[in-house]
Amino acid sequence: MASRDWVKLADKEVKIYDYMISCKDMVLPWSSDLGKIEEFMAEKGRDVAATVRDDEVVDVVEKEDVERIKGYPKLGVGSVGPDRSWKVGAAIRMRESDKERLEELVKAGIDVVVLDSSQGNSIYQIELIKYIKKMYSDLDVVCGNVLTVSQAQNLIQAGVDRLRVGMGSGSICTTQEVCVGGRGQWMNIGLRTC
């Protein structure tokens, strides 16, 4: 059931089960490209499709996703690996308990982990980068946020693969007020290509 279906309902006390649709009409092979996904949605009259590999849902694509990518062709087909499968990322915090979460995420097959912190030049982030690179050397690590060259150098020396540049750019973020410094979010910098 989509939100637009919910809005149209006069009786908001109905059971969602009564309005759920079968996913059998929404499934196509995981290797389908954007054109095939768009054709499939048009043919089935659906705004969503699920790509499946070995009876497991790999991705859920909405019509809005297809239109957004078509509207920005330089975005390409997304982040895919050599086997044409989607790259998968996850974010974790810098708490000791997140090492257990990271282990489970690595077992599940993530390709990249983002260390979620508004102030990226902390001892917690640096120590966690070193831990990740020691335990999971092939896992890409994205860190930040950084404002200065020295902050970036500290994270690079710890082993980070990509940086988030900027600080306190969110509408509800108080980092600029708390740290008395900040700069608008700029971009992720891939260190392997710089």
Side-chain angles (χ1 to χ4, degrees):
M1 174 181 242
S3 60
R4 66 179 175 281
D5 300 323
W6 173 256
V7 170
K8 292 176 187 175
L9 288 177
D11 179 9
K12 303 293 189 206
E13 299 297 319
V14 297
K15 294 179 180 175
I16 292 177
Y17 180 84
D18 295 335
Y19 288 87
M20 292 176 73
I21 56 175
S22 170
C23 64
K24 291 178 184 174
D25 292 346
M26 301 166 56
V27 175
L28 68 162
W30 72 275
S31 56
S32 301
D33 64 19
L34 191 63
K36 284 187 180 179
I37 293 171
E38 184 177 26
E39 286 174 19
F40 179 84
M41 288 180 182
E43 177 187 315
K44 299 288 184 179
R46 301 282 188 205
D47 291 340
V48 66
T51 60
V52 175
R53 177 177 54 195
D54 300 328
D55 294 327
E56 183 178 346
V57 175
V58 176
D59 193 14
V60 176
V61 183
E62 293 183 335
K63 187 175 182 180
E64 294 163 0
D65 298 326
V66 174
E67 290 170 358
R68 187 180 70 249
I69 292 170
K70 282 177 58 183
Y72 297 96
K74 289 184 179 180
L75 291 176
V77 296
S79 299
V80 294
D83 64 351
R84 303 293 299 151
S85 64
W86 292 102
K87 294 274 189 177
V88 177
I92 63 170
R93 300 170 300 175
M94 268 73 50
R95 294 192 170 80
E96 192 66 27
S97 61
D98 283 288
K99 289 180 181 177
E100 294 173 28
R101 181 169 183 253
L102 177 63
E103 182 181 353
E104 294 302 317
L105 289 167
V106 170
K107 286 179 188 175
I110 64 167
D111 301 291
V112 60
V113 65
V114 178
L115 303 188
D116 188 19
S117 175
S118 56
Q119 205 298 75
N121 190 32
S122 69
I123 190 68
Y124 305 110
Q125 198 166 91
I126 290 169
E127 292 302 317
L128 189 53
I129 295 166
K130 291 177 182 177
Y131 169 83
I132 293 169
K133 287 302 178 178
K134 179 181 175 186
M135 299 300 291
Y136 314 103
S137 59
D138 292 339
L139 185 63
D140 280 352
V141 181
V142 178
C143 293
N145 294 358
V146 295
L147 290 175
T148 67
V149 171
S150 62
Q151 289 175 317
Q153 287 173 335
N154 288 340
L155 297 179
I156 291 167
Q157 288 170 357
V160 69
D161 298 294
R162 293 187 176 270
L163 290 172
R164 291 192 337 243
V165 178
M167 187 182 293
S169 58
S171 62
I172 62 169
C173 185
T174 61
T175 306
Q176 290 188 21
E177 290 82 13
V178 173
C179 294
V180 193
R183 196 173 294 162
Q185 197 75 18
W186 181 50
M187 63 181 262
N188 288 339
I189 298 177
L191 301 177
R192 292 186 179 159
T193 58
C194 289

